[in-house]
Amino acid sequence: MPAKTKQTLFTDSQNPYEIYYCHFNIGNCGTELFESLNLPLCVDVKSPEKASSLYENMIQTMEAQALTSFVQSKQYLLNLLSCYLESCPDDSISFQESLQDSPINQAIAYAEEHLDQSISVKKMAEVAGYHPSHFAKLFQEKLNISPVQFLIHKKAEYAIEQLTTTTRPISEIAEALGFSSQFYFCNFFKKQTGMAPTAYRQIYFRNGNK
């Protein structure tokens, strides 16, 4: 998962699970791996036992603080990364083209700045200077997500951020995202997360998050 990627996690007493984190930097000539390649954020590992073993060995080696710990733990990390890459679906990895100052990026910036409005793919295409159908195709190719899905994701992301970092009323968040009523916003949010906004906020803070 690339640095600064936002994520929200909850536990379920009926379905408990464990999460293991490993923060690392990897790249070449100052360019991060995840900035150079389009990679899926989540994959079903082909060999969970192998991945688990590599992770545990990496942690144990680092904690040993032996003379060779750094080299050995780095090797385990590279093997773990290889395990991830080998588990990526076919055609899910590609080189990432820079979107900075591109027409697509201009459309993205416009959408992010106007989440309080009803933004259409046609309007985004107009900002980018493309025909809507051509714009949608290019957008999908470069970001692996359709413009419509992108807009839905951005609205849901903003809603989650507001629910978990502020005490703003649900009605205000709905208005900030351009929904005509709190009712429509709640339906939208539940469809995206499986929970009503109020329940989502309550569970988040009940789990000890501040």
Side-chain angles (χ1 to χ4, degrees):
M1 180 178 294
K4 299 180 181 179
T5 299
K6 293 183 179 180
Q7 53 181 316
T8 303
L9 303 168
F10 294 108
T11 56
D12 183 346
S13 58
Q14 304 301 319
N15 247 328
Y17 58 85
E18 292 182 321
I19 299 176
Y20 298 85
Y21 285 99
C22 175
H23 298 274
F24 64 92
N25 294 317
I26 184 168
N28 182 44
C29 298
T31 302
E32 288 288 329
L33 173 70
F34 293 102
E35 293 178 354
S36 305
L37 297 174
N38 290 308
L39 297 164
L41 292 182
C42 300
V43 297
D44 291 322
V45 182
K46 291 181 178 179
S47 177
E49 296 80 11
K50 177 182 177 181
S52 179
S53 176
L54 286 170
Y55 185 90
E56 290 175 0
N57 287 334
M58 178 180 66
I59 298 302
Q60 291 172 3
T61 303
M62 291 178 66
E63 292 177 342
Q65 297 184 341
L67 185 63
T68 58
S69 289
F70 174 75
V71 176
Q72 289 178 336
S73 59
K74 186 175 181 180
Q75 186 61 53
Y76 282 125
L77 174 61
L78 291 174
N79 287 338
L80 193 58
L81 182 60
S82 295
C83 186
Y84 155 70
L85 293 173
E86 289 168 0
S87 300
C88 291
D90 294 338
D91 302 323
S92 67
I93 303 176
S94 62
F95 284 104
Q96 193 172 103
E97 296 180 21
S98 174
L99 291 177
Q100 188 173 5
D101 298 326
S102 71
I104 296 293
N105 197 50
Q106 291 172 19
I108 289 174
Y110 175 85
E112 292 176 335
E113 292 171 4
H114 296 81
L115 286 178
D116 61 331
Q117 300 175 17
S118 179
I119 308 168
S120 64
V121 175
K122 182 179 180 181
K123 181 60 181 179
M124 290 180 70
E126 183 182 319
V127 171
Y130 293 124
H131 185 276
S133 60
H134 182 58
F135 169 77
K137 181 180 178 181
L138 283 177
F139 196 98
Q140 179 76 44
E141 289 176 352
K142 292 185 179 297
L143 281 83
N144 293 319
I145 187 174
S146 72
V148 172
Q149 291 172 323
F150 172 81
L151 291 171
I152 290 173
H153 172 74
K154 280 297 175 182
K155 284 182 179 287
E157 184 181 76
Y158 178 84
I160 289 172
E161 179 186 6
Q162 292 298 299
L163 288 168
T164 57
T165 62
T166 76
T167 57
R168 293 179 71 182
I170 305 298
S171 57
E172 280 190 15
I173 299 175
E175 184 178 349
L177 286 171
F179 287 92
S180 58
S181 72
Q182 182 175 324
F183 173 79
Y184 288 120
F185 167 69
C186 290
N187 282 345
F188 164 83
F189 191 86
K190 188 170 184 179
K191 185 176 181 181
Q192 301 309 313
T193 65
M195 285 186 283
T198 301
Y200 192 99
R201 174 177 268 169
Q202 290 174 342
I203 292 174
Y204 180 84
F205 288 110
R206 190 165 64 227
N207 284 344
N209 295 293
K210 300 292 184 180

